[in-house]
Amino acid sequence: MPTSQERPPTVIVVIPTYNEAGNLPVIAEQLLALPLDGLRLLVVDDNSPDGTGKIADGLAAGHPGRVEVVHRPGRQGLGRAYVDGLSTALAHGADYVVQMDADLSHPVDAVPRLLGTAEATGAACVIGSRYVPGGTLAAEWSRHRRALSAWAGLYVRTILRMRLRDVTAGFKIWRAARLAELDLAGVSSGGYSFQVEMHYRATKAGMTIVEIPIHFSDRHAGASKMGLRVQLESALMPWRLLFKR
């Protein structure tokens, strides 16, 4: 009989959703097919009008013990969804917690590499990076979008003096014990700036963050949620973090 030390690590993949009915079944199937015995999926749905929450419930019913759903009363932003999802994953005994978008822009087959790197290096966080050597972007991205993404990263790194190449990355794995040290309840970001705030908190706490290359694909289906309000919060958040320090 295997000892507790020999059991596979519990890896909980947290995926926030809002109107991702076309993507969620696809990414769930791919994740559950990975050769990781301890992998579980946690969907955090913001009461999606397109029925994503019901689809998530169907997945949970079809995969008891492997898929769980957190239903939130409405759209409150990516950052708040992640706070709820990561907190739930920690409460449910995760050894590692993966952050991942539902839109299939993040490569599912890179999850084992994230885990393997985290275990090999002992890092608190391993990022799937678009901007380290070997990382690539979707061919569908226009020059304008590429330039905007690169500028956003430079902007954040310059203000907060972080050495990460992909400081706005949303695809990563956390070592649960270190994630628990970051006071999730105190996170102030509501939108995509959550990624920057978490990287900044980990960096200031002296945690090791490793980046490995991935291919970042274009959204599979549905529409982006990056509206003007989210963009403004993302632009202001580095300054808020700097002055808060």
Side-chain angles (χ1 to χ4, degrees):
M1 183 174 180
T3 66
S4 59
Q5 287 77 18
E6 294 172 335
R7 69 168 178 83
T10 298
V11 180
I12 299 183
V13 181
V14 177
I15 298 184
T17 57
Y18 185 78
N19 288 349
E20 297 289 358
N23 292 320
L24 181 60
V26 180
I27 193 170
E29 180 181 358
Q30 292 180 5
L31 283 166
L32 295 174
L34 289 174
L36 297 175
D37 291 339
L39 185 140
R40 291 152 56 186
L41 172 59
L42 176 62
V43 179
V44 184
D45 186 67
D46 276 6
N47 196 21
S48 299
D50 71 347
T52 302
K54 292 182 179 179
I55 292 173
D57 286 338
L59 290 167
H63 302 277
R66 296 204 69 195
V67 180
E68 183 180 356
V69 188
V70 172
H71 291 283
R72 286 155 39 93
R75 190 175 180 182
Q76 300 170 34
L78 181 72
R80 308 327 300 166
Y82 264 130
V83 167
D84 284 353
L86 298 179
S87 299
T88 300
L90 292 177
H92 289 190
D95 296 308
Y96 294 91
V97 185
V98 175
Q99 288 181 229
M100 197 168 190
D101 289 349
D103 62 8
L104 295 167
S105 58
H106 298 150
V108 171
D109 61 3
V111 171
R113 285 200 295 122
L114 291 178
L115 175 61
T117 303
E119 292 188 310
T121 63
C125 179
V126 179
I127 291 173
S129 177
R130 299 163 288 183
Y131 299 122
V132 293
T136 54
L137 288 167
E140 296 89 345
W141 273 37
S142 65
R143 288 185 179 180
H144 172 75
R145 189 176 178 187
R146 290 169 184 266
L148 183 62
S149 178
W151 178 86
L154 178 61
Y155 173 81
V156 171
R157 291 196 306 272
T158 300
I159 295 170
L160 297 179
R161 298 183 180 181
M162 286 193 286
R163 295 182 178 180
L164 295 177
R165 296 288 295 272
D166 199 346
V167 72
T168 61
F171 182 38
K172 70 203 73 170
I173 191 169
W174 291 95
R175 186 176 297 272
R178 303 311 306 275
L179 178 63
E181 298 173 16
L182 293 181
D183 182 26
L184 289 169
V187 171
S188 59
S189 300
Y192 287 84
S193 58
F194 172 82
Q195 313 295 1
V196 171
E197 182 171 356
M198 290 295 288
H199 295 154
Y200 184 70
R201 283 169 170 259
T203 299
K204 299 310 292 182
M207 297 183 185
T208 299
I209 301 177
V210 174
E211 296 181 85
I212 63 172
I214 62 162
H215 174 70
F216 186 89
S217 301
D218 206 15
R219 165 177 280 276
H220 176 70
S224 171
K225 284 79 176 179
M226 181 67 81
L228 179 59
R229 181 177 178 180
V230 173
Q231 293 179 46
L232 289 173
E233 183 196 40
S234 297
L236 292 173
M237 184 53 65
W239 296 106
R240 290 176 180 169
L241 292 173
L242 188 66
F243 290 129
K244 185 177 181 180
R245 183 190 67 180

